[in-house]
């Protein structure tokens, strides 16, 4: 399929006039970098496990070694992954608008690797580790015996990735900043998220209530689709670079007085 070259003019105008653009991203934007979403079938050794049963405080208590090795596997995928044109288009978008907030549910750090500055990580970061017991961040530890999770060097508790498991609350500061951006932005792009996991799923709804123009970028329909102003039903890595190009042309025309 040829990349899209035209967008509704009112969408470009809304972006060009916005003082604050917010973007909410989910696993879909990193899919094109080779990081499987939780809802994709898992592959190889992990095919028989349901991620929604591994990424829980309960699983960590029952079987810390299993949870640790699953995250080791996911970290190995993240280490190999590189930002894709979708991530890079958002870096460029940040440079084009007066205020920009990127709220991500992803834990892979690819937005920062691409060069985005104002990033709010709602679900933590898989490359950081902390102790499940004393809570302290930890950067080095002794290798654990086969099949076990490493022990905290401070309290001998269990180490875990610094991510939000299913059933855990989000970091308060990140959530507050995300809510502020959602209710203050004039345009929100919602990219590559199934818009079902709360509280992130509610952010576009708050933006709509506050009067923002909301744009969904997702090849598949989601529960949010019927509510948004514009739907760009294409992969993020293709449509976001095209959108940013079109915005730059639109801004150049405005500056040229046409
Ligand atoms: N471009 C845009 N969207 C895409 C692409 C793509 N190339 N590929 C897939 N998608 C869309 C899918 O259609 C789907 O709607 O990305 C969405 C991914 O959905 P999820 O896997 O549910 O990811 P996400 O919404 O980020 O999940 C939220 O739940 O999995 C847990 O904690 C994890 O942060 C995650 C949260």
């Amino acid at each position: 399929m040829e990349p899209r070259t035209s967008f509704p003019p009112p969408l470009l105008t809304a972006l060009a006039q916005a003082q604050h653009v917010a973007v909410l991203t989910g696993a879909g934007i990193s899919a094109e970098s080779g990081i499987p979403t939780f809802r994709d079938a898992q592959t190889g050794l992990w095919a028989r496990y349901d991620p929604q049963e591994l990424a829980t405080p309960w699983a960590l208590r029952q079987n810390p070694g299993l949870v640790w090795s699953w995250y080791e596997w996911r970290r190995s995928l993240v280490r190999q992954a590189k930002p894709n044109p979708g991530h890079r288009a958002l870096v460029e978008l940040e440079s084009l608008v007066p205020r920009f907030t990127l709220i991500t549910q992803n834990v892979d750090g690819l937005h920062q690797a691409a060069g985005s500055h104002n990033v709010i990580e709602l679900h933590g970061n898989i490359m950081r580790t902390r102790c499940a017991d004393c809570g302290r961040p930890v950067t080095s530890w002794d290798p654990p015996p086969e099949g076990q999770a490493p022990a905290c060097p401070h309290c001998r508790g269990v180490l875990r990735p610094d991510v939000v498991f299913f059933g855990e609350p989000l970091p308060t500061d990140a959530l507050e900043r995300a809510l502020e951006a959602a209710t203050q932005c004039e345009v929100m792009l919602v990219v590559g998220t199934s818009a079902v996991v709360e509280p992130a799923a509610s952010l576009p709804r708050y933006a709509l209530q506050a009067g923002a123009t909301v744009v969904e970028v997702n090849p598949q329909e989601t529960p949010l689709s019927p509510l948004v102003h514009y739907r760009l039903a294409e992969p993020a890595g293709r449509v976001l670079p095209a959108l940013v190009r079109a915005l730059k042309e639109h801004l150049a025309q405005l500056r040229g007085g046409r």
Side-chain angles (χ1 to χ4, degrees):
M1 206 198 291
E2 283 297 303
R4 166 202 277 267
T5 50
S6 71
F7 293 88
L11 164 57
L12 296 177
T13 304
L15 272 171
Q17 290 178 345
Q19 291 302 305
H20 186 178
V21 172
V23 181
L24 172 66
T25 64
I29 194 164
S30 291
E32 290 166 82
S33 292
I35 300 179
T37 73
F38 272 24
R39 285 160 195 80
D40 283 339
Q42 305 293 297
T43 53
L45 287 175
W46 295 103
R48 65 199 169 95
Y49 294 101
D50 177 356
Q52 301 203 43
E53 284 166 19
L54 287 173
T56 66
W58 186 84
L60 185 75
R61 265 197 309 278
Q62 294 296 311
N63 200 338
L66 180 73
V67 173
W68 181 263
S69 1
W70 185 63
Y71 275 101
E72 279 286 83
W73 173 67
R74 290 191 72 87
R75 277 193 285 266
S76 73
L77 299 177
V78 169
R79 277 190 207 99
Q80 292 161 26
K82 294 195 170 41
N84 67 54
H87 296 105
R88 289 196 291 274
L90 294 180
V91 178
E92 199 167 1
L93 184 58
E94 183 165 19
S95 72
L96 294 173
V97 297
R99 192 169 161 212
F100 181 87
T101 309
L102 206 175
I103 307 160
T104 188
Q105 299 166 85
N106 299 342
V107 295
D108 54 36
L110 286 180
H111 287 301
Q112 294 93 326
S116 287
H117 294 292
N118 194 20
V119 182
I120 301 173
E121 291 183 321
L122 280 183
H123 293 170
N125 190 303
I126 196 171
M127 298 317 254
R128 286 194 308 259
T129 298
R130 67 178 161 90
C131 177
D133 294 349
C134 71
R136 273 186 270 196
V138 175
T139 52
S140 65
W141 50 85
D142 293 332
E146 179 72 26
Q148 293 184 30
C152 172
H154 306 292
C155 76
R156 309 310 296 164
V158 171
L159 294 189
R160 58 166 287 175
D162 192 7
V163 299
V164 176
F165 287 152
F166 289 101
E168 288 185 326
L170 271 57
T172 313
D173 175 61
L175 185 58
E176 276 172 7
R177 288 190 295 135
L179 278 169
E180 189 188 312
T183 49
Q184 290 183 357
C185 66
E186 286 113 21
V187 178
M188 178 182 266
L189 307 184
V190 183
V191 183
T193 174
S194 54
V196 290
V197 177
E198 293 293 352
S202 288
L203 294 171
R205 292 180 175 81
Y206 292 135
L208 283 165
Q209 279 164 18
T213 299
V214 177
V215 185
E216 183 175 55
V217 178
N218 195 321
Q220 309 291 327
E221 295 227 346
T222 73
L224 186 69
S225 303
L227 309 176
V228 299
H229 296 92
Y230 301 99
R231 248 184 70 67
L232 306 175
E234 292 170 51
R238 194 159 61 202
V239 77
L240 287 178
L243 179 64
V244 170
R245 249 190 326 272
L247 174 62
K248 279 161 73 177
E249 283 163 18
H250 191 81
L251 287 167
Q253 279 173 15
L254 291 178
R255 291 198 187 109
R258 282 192 284 151

